[in-house]
C-alpha cells in the first residue's frame, strides 16, 4: 500500500436517524419541542430553577430508551458496517443522546451533546452510568453529596464536547455526511461549511427532507434513513468516494 492514508469519512447524525426506531425528533410537527419548551427543560437556567421538572423530562426519555422496545434500525447498522469495511477512518459524531449507534456496533463514535444513560456530579465531576430515574435527592457514588447529580447532556448555552477534535477531523476528511438532522442547532449545523473550507471534501446530506443547510451540500439524498443510508453505504463501499456526486 502506498504511504497515502486511505481517505477518512466524518458522519454527523441527528434525531432523524433514530425516528424509525421509535424515538421522537425535536422539530417535526410531532416532535419534542412541540410538547415542551427548550427554556423549561434544556438549559442550565431551567435546571437551576426547577431541577425536578428537568429530571422528569429526561427520566421519561431514559425510561423509553431502556424499556426494550427501542432498538437500532437499518441506518444505524449500515453506519457500523461502513466503519468496519471502509479502509480509512470513519468518525461518527452524533447529536443524539440515545445509545443506538453503540448498540448497532459503531465504535469510533462521539456524543457531542452528551448521553442520556450517563449522569454527572456537579460537585466532584464524577461521571456514572445511569439507566434508572434520577431525582434531586440522589447522591453521588464518588463524593457522597446529594442534590448535585445532572444528566450528562449538553443544554442550550453549554459547549458541546470535543469541538476542537471534531473540527480537526472535518478539516482533513475526504467526505462529510450529514444524516437525519434539520441543521437548526449550532455548532453542529456549521460542520458542513467547515468541512468545505478544505476544498477537496465531498459533502452529502441524507435526510427525510431538505435541512436548513441543504444548499451547501454537493450531494443530497432524501427519504427515510432506513432506506437511503444503507443504499448510500453500499454505493460508497462499492464505488468509493470519487464516484459520488
Ligand atoms: C453553544 C440537548 C456556545 C440534549 C441539545 C450560532 C452559533 C453558535 C451557537 C448558537 C448560534 N445561534 C444560536 C446558538 C445557540 C444554540 C442554538 O444553536 N440554538 C438554535 C436553536 C438556534 N446552540 C447552543 O446553545 C449550543 N451551544 O452554542 O454553546 C458556547 C460558546 C462558548 C461557551 C459556552 C457555550 C448547544 C447545542 C446543544 C443543545 N442541546 N439537546 C437533548 O435533550 O437531547 S440540541 C437538540 O437539537 C437535540 O438534542 C439535537 O441534538 C439537536 C439537533 O436536532 P436534530 O437532531 O437536527 O433534530 P430535529 O428534530 O431538529 O431534526 C430532525 C431531522 O430528521 C429533520 O430534518 C427531519 O426531516 C429528519 N427526519 C425525520 N424523520 C426521518 C428523518 N430523516 C431521515 N429518516 C427519517 N425517518
Amino acid at each position: 500500500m502506498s504511504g497515502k492514508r486511505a481517505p477518512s469519512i466524518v458522519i454527523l447524525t441527528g434525531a432523524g436517524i433514530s425516528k424509525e426506531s421509535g424515538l421522537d425528533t425535536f422539530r417535526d410537527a410531532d416532535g419534542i419541542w412541540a410538547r415542551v419548551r427548550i427554556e423549561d427543560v434544556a438549559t442550565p437556567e431551567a435546571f437551576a430553577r426547577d431541577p425536578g421538572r428537568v429530571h422528569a423530562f429526561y427520566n421519561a426519555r431514559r425510561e423509553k430508551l431502556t424499556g426494550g422496545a427501542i432498538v437500532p434500525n437499518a441506518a444505524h447498522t449500515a453506519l457500523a458496517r461502513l466503519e468496519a469495511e471502509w479502509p480509512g477512518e470513519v468518525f461518527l459524531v452524533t447529536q443524539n443522546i440515545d445509545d443506538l449507534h453503540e448498540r448497532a456496533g459503531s465504535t469510533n463514535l462521539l456524543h457531542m451533546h452528551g448521553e442520556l444513560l450517563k449522569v454527572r456530579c456537579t460537585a466532584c465531576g464524577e461521571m456514572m452510568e445511569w439507566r434508572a430515574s434520577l431525582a434531586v435527592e440522589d447522591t453521588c457514588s464518588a463524593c457522597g453529596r446529594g442534590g448535585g447529580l445532572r444528566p450528562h447532556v449538553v443544554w442550550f448555552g453549554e459547549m458541546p464536547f470535543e469541538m476542537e477534535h471534531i473540527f480537526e477531523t472535518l478539516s482533513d476528511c475526504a467526505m462529510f455526511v450529514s444524516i437525519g438532522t434539520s441543521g437548526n442547532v449550532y455548532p453542529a449545523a456549521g460542520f458542513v461549511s467547515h468541512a468545505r473550507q478544505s476544498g477537496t471534501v465531498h459533502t452529502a446530506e441524507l435526510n427525510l427532507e431538505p435541512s436548513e443547510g441543504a444548499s451547501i451540500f454537493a450531494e443530497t439524498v432524501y427519504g427515510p434513513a432506513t432506506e437511503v443510508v444503507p443504499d448510500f453505504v453500499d454505493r460508497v463501499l462499492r464505488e468509493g468516494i470519487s464516484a459520488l456526486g
Side-chain angles (χ1 to χ4, degrees):
M1 169 88 108
S2 72
K4 197 163 169 14
R5 200 165 45 94
S8 66
I9 300 172
V10 177
I11 299 166
L12 172 71
T13 60
I17 199 170
S18 298
K19 172 87 176 197
E20 291 163 89
S21 293
L23 292 180
D24 292 333
T25 61
F26 290 88
R27 292 168 187 84
D28 285 332
D30 61 347
I32 292 175
W33 300 145
R35 297 195 298 274
V36 287
R37 288 176 351 114
I38 288 176
E39 296 76 9
D40 292 336
V41 295
T43 66
E45 294 77 16
F47 189 60
R49 183 171 60 245
D50 187 350
R53 169 106 191 251
V54 174
H55 283 319
F57 173 62
Y58 287 98
N59 289 343
R61 291 170 67 189
R62 195 179 300 110
E63 188 177 346
K64 182 169 184 181
L65 180 60
T66 56
I70 306 296
V71 296
N73 64 51
H76 298 105
T77 305
L79 295 186
R81 182 159 60 85
L82 181 63
E83 179 186 336
E85 297 179 16
W86 180 253
E89 181 183 1
V90 175
F91 180 48
L92 176 52
V93 182
T94 186
Q95 298 175 90
N96 301 338
I97 61 175
D98 63 58
D99 63 342
L100 296 177
H101 283 305
E102 294 87 327
R103 287 161 58 190
S106 287
T107 59
N108 191 13
L109 169 66
L110 169 64
H111 285 273
M112 66 178 288
H113 289 166
E115 298 176 63
L116 185 56
L117 304 183
K118 287 184 180 160
V119 301
R120 188 168 80 234
C121 176
T122 55
C124 72
E126 178 79 5
M127 297 256 292
M128 291 152 262
E129 295 287 332
W130 201 283
R131 300 178 68 85
S133 282
L134 182 61
V136 174
E137 57 272 12
D138 283 320
T139 57
C140 171
S141 56
C143 70
R145 290 187 187 82
L149 297 182
R150 63 164 280 179
H152 181 58
V153 159
V154 177
W155 287 323
F156 287 92
E158 295 185 322
M159 181 60 86
F161 298 122
E162 300 201 39
M163 290 308 303
E164 199 172 323
H165 176 56
I166 294 171
F167 283 124
E168 282 165 11
T169 60
L170 289 169
S171 297
D172 69 4
C173 69
M175 177 164 74
F176 172 71
V177 191
S178 177
I179 302 172
T181 180
S182 65
N184 272 290
V185 173
Y186 287 85
F191 289 175
V192 57
S193 301
H194 189 92
R196 290 194 63 144
Q197 282 166 9
S198 71
T200 55
V201 68
H202 178 62
T203 55
E205 165 172 276
L206 282 58
N207 207 49
L208 192 62
E209 60 199 8
S211 74
E212 292 293 313
S215 61
I216 308 174
F217 291 88
E219 179 184 10
T220 54
V221 184
Y222 297 118
T226 55
E227 290 171 22
V228 300
V229 178
D231 289 350
F232 184 81
V233 167
D234 287 343
R235 214 153 30 94
V236 171
L237 291 173
R238 195 173 53 244
E239 299 161 18
I241 294 173
S242 53
L244 299 174

